[in-house]
């Protein structure tokens, strides 16, 4: 893997109002790579989806903490990890299927599909009763190329 050029980590309570905070903070941090507006939008969207999943599905009716870590690499690559210590995902492969949700009928079940579409690599690791880590890698296009 490429050398890390910068890293940041945020830890916040699993409240829905903190989704916007995470989205904006990651967007501001990643801006040092000079992403296109489309790339920045994609990054903010996947952060929103992962954090919302942790709040709605990971913690459901209780609260806990979510940690978002971003590493920037040489060559305009970045890795975003969203970690919770919630209830975990019973069947990750099933959860990654479009339209599957453990939430109510207001949930579309498209979170993982969106994350996968807007990144170059998506990995989901989960342990029942211990939580979930969603790792996303995005390679930004060279500017002016």
């Amino acid at each position: 893997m490429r050398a890390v050029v910068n890293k940041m980590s945020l830890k916040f309570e699993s409240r829905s109002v903190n989704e916007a905070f995470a989205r904006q903070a990651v967007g501001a941090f990643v801006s040092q790579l000079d992403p296109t507006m489309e790339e920045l939008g994609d990054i903010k969207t996947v952060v929103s989806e992962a954090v919302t999943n942790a709040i709605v599905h990971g913690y459901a009716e209780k609260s806990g903490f979510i940690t978002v870590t971003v590493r920037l690499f040489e060559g305009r690559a970045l890795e975003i990890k969203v970690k919770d210590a919630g209830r975990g995902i019973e069947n990750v492969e099933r959860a990654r299927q479009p339209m599957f949700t453990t939430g109510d009928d207001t949930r579309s079940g498209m979170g993982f599909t969106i994350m996968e579409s807007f990144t170059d690599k998506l990995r989901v690791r989960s342990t029942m009763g211990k939580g979930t880590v969603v790792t996303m890698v995005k390679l930004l296009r060279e500017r002016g190329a």
Side-chain angles (χ1 to χ4, degrees):
M1 188 114 196
R2 300 170 177 143
V4 175
V5 296
N6 204 353
K7 179 180 176 179
M8 72 98 174
S9 187
L10 301 169
K11 184 175 182 178
F12 51 88
E13 201 167 354
S14 61
R15 297 176 182 266
S16 61
V17 295
N18 288 333
E19 174 271 327
F21 164 68
R23 174 186 175 96
Q24 295 302 324
V26 171
F29 183 74
V30 168
S31 68
Q32 64 194 277
L33 292 180
D34 193 25
T36 65
M37 292 303 289
E38 180 182 356
E39 290 169 333
L40 189 57
D42 290 353
I43 291 162
K44 288 180 174 183
T45 298
V46 299
V47 169
S48 291
E49 292 294 335
V51 168
T52 298
N53 275 358
I55 293 167
V56 171
H57 304 291
Y59 289 111
E61 301 301 318
K62 65 177 190 163
S63 67
F65 286 91
I66 298 168
T67 303
V68 177
T69 304
V70 182
R71 296 191 307 165
L72 307 180
F73 297 91
E74 290 178 339
R76 299 177 52 76
L78 62 119
E79 175 191 77
I80 302 166
K81 282 190 181 188
V82 178
K83 180 179 180 181
D84 69 66
R87 63 185 181 181
I89 301 170
E90 186 174 347
N91 183 330
V92 171
E93 289 308 311
R94 185 171 176 211
R96 288 182 67 166
Q97 295 303 307
M99 309 304 283
F100 177 82
T101 183
T102 59
D104 60 27
D105 61 2
T106 65
R107 300 286 159 200
S108 70
M110 295 298 291
F112 285 129
T113 302
I114 291 167
M115 287 181 247
E116 196 163 33
S117 295
F118 289 1
T119 60
D120 295 291
K121 183 177 179 183
L122 172 69
R123 185 173 67 233
V124 182
R125 292 196 176 159
S126 192
T127 303
M128 291 304 296
K130 294 190 177 180
T132 302
V133 179
V134 175
T135 305
M136 299 168 282
V137 174
K138 184 154 183 79
L139 307 173
L140 303 180
R141 292 184 297 273
E142 287 298 324
R143 296 289 277 195

